[in-house]
Amino acid sequence: MKKNDKKTILSASTSSGDLTIGNYIGAINNWTALQDQYNCYYMVADLHALTTPQEPKALRERGLSFYAQYLACGLDPEKNTLFMQSHVPEHAELAWILNCFCPMGALNRMTQFKEKTAKSEKNLNAGLFTYPVLMAADILLYQADVVPVGEDQKQHLELARDLVDIFHHRFGETFSTPDPYIGKMGARIMSLQDPTSKMSKSDENPKSFLSIIDPPKTLEKKIKSAVTDLGTEVSFDQSEKPGISNLMTIYSVLSGKTYQQIETDFEGKMYGHLKIELAALVIETLKPVQDKYHDLMKNKDYLDGLLRDHSEKARATAKQTLIKVYDKVGLYPRPL
Ligand code: ATP
Ligand code: MG
């Protein structure tokens, strides 16, 4: 049922905040590299955003802005299907079905749920708990063969694969089994304020992340106030020097230099020097992205048009899978 011989990819990011340099390095850069070889679906995961507290007006505004951030990072609407999760109702529908076949024990083991609840005890909602099931629905609806994921999402992808097995065992072949795609630039970027935990766009402390649309001055300030480690020497050591190692990782990915080259370049210099150069590099790298973003945001009609066309395209595929699933589980067919 695939459009061509290319394998299918689905990936997404949650619109819980603006894209961070972590998302850019760990996800979007890989996505743009894959857009020629694969049949790609890239989604703004706005339903997932609701698993953490959101202010409705801000969430709604971010929907379009987030979409523009995808385009500004180089995702080409001619080559990819770029859509919004809530515009394709089949996601919520398949998630419900899969929820009914997902063992509670499997969800109890998800480390991201444990991490997120540890951060905010007051936000223990069922959506956060079953989030990986919605993610499985996102993937399975498009019969995705490959899913580019960062380290933090591997366990969720495993669950999607397990759900395929459970479903197939009961009802026979229905979905493609998704394989993880581990990108070349798959580095995990850590929080600037707590370099032992992942940089996340939904972090309550904006100083912990670099947003790709932060103004240059803000980027510079955040990098300068990044937590560093004891000592002064610029050297890569993730356990002893997690702070400086994180800054070196960003520097290395954006400059193409190895850690050893960076250590040599900064020999005899201090952490502050690395921060100044890193800030300049981040600002320079993001300049074309930010320029394109601001241009796109002036053209809301264009963005709305794209969203409509691409969501329709996504829906055509999603519908086929959902009809198959509803039939297999024994729901009475909907009148056409
Ligand atoms: P949230 O705080 O809402 O969970 P997030 O920053 O973790 O946001 P996601 O939308 O959950 O971002 O993830 C989008 C993609 O970015 C995923 O493929 C994920 O693996 C990748 N990613 C997220 N954070 C990082 C990071 N710090 N370093 C590298 N890749 C990341
Ligand atoms: Mg996340």
Side-chain angles (χ1 to χ4, degrees), residues 187-189 234-238 244-253 256-266:
R188 181 171 150 103
I189 307 303
V234 175
S235 62
F236 191 82
D237 182 338
Q238 275 173 317
I244 209 70
S245 300
N246 187 37
L247 300 183
M248 286 177 75
T249 300
I250 304 174
Y251 194 91
S252 165
V253 173
K257 290 186 179 176
T258 63
Y259 294 129
Q260 213 171 5
Q261 279 172 307
I262 300 169
E263 285 170 3
T264 312
D265 288 355
F266 287 91

Side-chain angles (χ1 to χ4, degrees), residues 8 13 32 36 60 65 72 82 86 103 119 133 145 185 192 257 289 305 317 328:
T8 297
S13 185
T32 53
D36 290 313
R60 188 172 304 117
S65 155
L82 306 171
S86 63
K119 263 194 200 167
V133 179
D145 303 295
M185 316 240 289
L192 298 183
K257 290 186 179 176
V289 174
T317 309
K328 294 227 172 176

Side-chain angles (χ1 to χ4, degrees), residues 8-175:
T8 297
I9 277 191
L10 176 121
S11 206
S13 185
T14 311
S15 55
S16 51
D18 295 315
L19 287 172
T20 70
I21 198 88
N23 303 134
Y24 182 77
I25 289 172
I28 315 282
N29 255 331
N30 286 319
W31 298 358
T32 53
L34 297 167
Q35 58 191 3
D36 290 313
Q37 294 146 265
Y38 293 87
N39 179 25
C40 300
Y41 292 86
Y42 293 125
M43 180 180 86
V44 174
D46 55 348
L47 294 177
H48 283 288
L50 292 171
T51 58
T52 51
Q54 302 292 335
E55 208 277 297
K57 186 168 178 283
L59 179 65
R60 188 172 304 117
E61 283 172 5
R62 198 181 308 116
L64 202 68
S65 155
F66 206 77
Y67 195 65
Q69 290 170 45
Y70 272 14
L71 297 169
C73 286
L75 290 174
D76 184 345
E78 297 292 323
K79 295 180 181 168
N80 306 292
T81 308
L82 306 171
F83 67 102
M84 189 113 31
Q85 189 180 27
S86 63
H87 294 184
V88 182
E90 284 77 6
H91 288 259
E93 294 184 84
L94 181 60
W96 173 253
I97 304 287
L98 295 176
N99 261 317
C100 297
F101 294 93
C102 181
M104 289 281 285
L107 293 175
N108 274 327
R109 285 195 292 276
M110 296 294 136
T111 50
Q112 196 172 88
F113 176 73
K114 290 183 202 159
E115 277 170 19
K116 287 203 172 180
T117 49
K119 263 194 200 167
S120 170
E121 288 275 341
K122 55 185 188 304
N123 181 41
L124 285 175
N125 68 75
L128 193 62
F129 185 63
T130 60
Y131 161 112
V133 179
L134 180 58
M135 177 169 154
D138 300 336
I139 297 165
L140 303 184
L141 273 179
Y142 300 94
Q143 303 289 345
D145 303 295
V146 186
V147 181
V149 278
E151 278 291 320
D152 59 310
Q153 294 294 338
K154 273 193 197 153
Q155 201 186 20
H156 294 164
L157 185 62
E158 270 310 311
L159 179 81
R161 291 167 60 91
D162 292 345
L163 287 173
V164 169
D165 284 347
I166 292 170
F167 199 89
H168 285 184
H169 187 71
R170 182 87 194 271
F171 304 107
E173 242 0 70
T174 310
F175 305 112

Side-chain angles (χ1 to χ4, degrees), residues 131-297:
Y131 161 112
V133 179
L134 180 58
M135 177 169 154
D138 300 336
I139 297 165
L140 303 184
L141 273 179
Y142 300 94
Q143 303 289 345
D145 303 295
V146 186
V147 181
V149 278
E151 278 291 320
D152 59 310
Q153 294 294 338
K154 273 193 197 153
Q155 201 186 20
H156 294 164
L157 185 62
E158 270 310 311
L159 179 81
R161 291 167 60 91
D162 292 345
L163 287 173
V164 169
D165 284 347
I166 292 170
F167 199 89
H168 285 184
H169 187 71
R170 182 87 194 271
F171 304 107
E173 242 0 70
T174 310
F175 305 112
S176 297
T177 303
D179 285 318
Y181 174 90
I182 312 295
K184 278 186 257 125
M185 316 240 289
R188 181 171 150 103
I189 307 303
M190 309 308 277
S191 156
L192 298 183
Q193 293 300 314
D194 171 13
T196 57
S197 68
K198 188 185 79 68
M199 181 182 286
S200 284
K201 67 175 113 63
S202 64
D203 198 310
E204 279 167 17
N205 181 359
K207 281 170 123 186
S208 70
F209 54 76
L210 299 171
S211 148
I212 65 159
I213 56 167
D214 272 341
K217 279 262 167 299
T218 309
L219 291 168
E220 195 180 335
K221 257 195 215 154
K222 287 183 178 180
I223 293 173
K224 283 193 176 157
S225 63
V227 168
T228 42
D229 322 283
L230 285 176
T232 55
E233 196 190 347
V234 175
S235 62
F236 191 82
D237 182 338
Q238 275 173 317
S239 55
E240 292 296 319
K241 293 188 169 208
I244 209 70
S245 300
N246 187 37
L247 300 183
M248 286 177 75
T249 300
I250 304 174
Y251 194 91
S252 165
V253 173
L254 299 186
S255 67
K257 290 186 179 176
T258 63
Y259 294 129
Q260 213 171 5
Q261 279 172 307
I262 300 169
E263 285 170 3
T264 312
D265 288 355
F266 287 91
E267 217 174 294
K269 295 184 182 167
M270 315 247 258
Y271 294 161
H273 293 107
L274 177 70
K275 285 183 169 179
I276 290 167
E277 293 213 15
L278 177 64
L281 181 61
V282 169
I283 291 165
E284 183 195 313
T285 307
L286 293 179
K287 167 109 179 45
V289 174
Q290 298 196 345
D291 288 349
K292 188 160 179 205
Y293 168 77
H294 292 298
D295 277 351
L296 284 164
M297 287 304 281

